[in-house]
Amino acid sequence: MRIITGKYKGRRFDVPRSFKARPTTDFAKENIFNVLNGYLDFEGIRALDLFSGTGSIALEMLSRGCAQVVSVEADRDHAQFIRDCAKKLQAENHAIVRGDAIRFIKSGRQQFDFIFADPPYQLPELQSIPNLIFEHNLLAPDGVFILEHGKQNNFSQHPNFAEHRAYGSVNFTIFKP
């Protein structure tokens, strides 16, 4: 797993083979972050990485200058791996919440300028995640929310739909308030 750009550009972390999570491919990650550059400036924003998995997206956000990054991951080993990676980067503006991402959304504790969610593609609640984000007011007024999903999901009719991007088998839907 590699950090694409920013102050930690080129740093690599070896994801244990035992992990069930599939990190977003470097190709897809680089392309979606290039698209995001047209939507927001990462410098100084508050970001949330739901279903953090390997932490690839959270580490990328830290590298790009986010003031605060919160990762939510249910798996104990994955959460520890993310914590260890952030510690190696000496990223003090990172917090890991070990728990269920859907419960975290429903708690609605804080607003974020950028939210990235990469749930398991077969998660039964996947289709409801955009509604939950907006119902619980997690996205700041000028924020951006990205949902990574499989090709079988279509969010183009959602009232907050902005655009859809596909890179190989990886699909991203971008939502705005």
Side-chain angles (χ1 to χ4, degrees), residues 65-154:
C66 290
Q68 176 193 26
V69 176
V70 176
S71 298
V72 180
E73 175 53 48
D75 185 277
R76 178 180 45 96
D77 294 334
H78 293 207
Q80 187 59 50
F81 176 76
I82 297 164
R83 187 177 290 113
D84 292 345
C85 290
K87 189 174 182 180
K88 286 177 187 170
L89 297 175
Q90 299 175 337
E92 296 175 10
N93 52 338
H94 178 259
I96 181 105
V97 175
R98 195 175 146 256
D100 181 76
I102 301 293
R103 263 196 217 126
F104 182 89
I105 294 168
K106 289 179 178 177
S107 73
R109 296 184 187 125
Q110 173 183 358
Q111 280 194 331
F112 295 89
D113 304 298
F114 176 58
I115 300 173
F116 186 93
D118 181 8
Y121 289 180
Q122 302 307 315
L123 183 76
E125 301 94 338
L126 189 144
Q127 200 69 29
S128 68
I129 292 172
N131 288 337
L132 291 172
I133 294 288
F134 291 102
E135 286 169 13
H136 293 280
N137 205 26
L138 258 62
L139 193 61
D142 292 326
V144 176
F145 165 49
I146 291 191
L147 178 63
E148 183 175 333
H149 55 85
K151 64 182 176 190
Q152 70 276 13
N153 301 98
N154 181 351

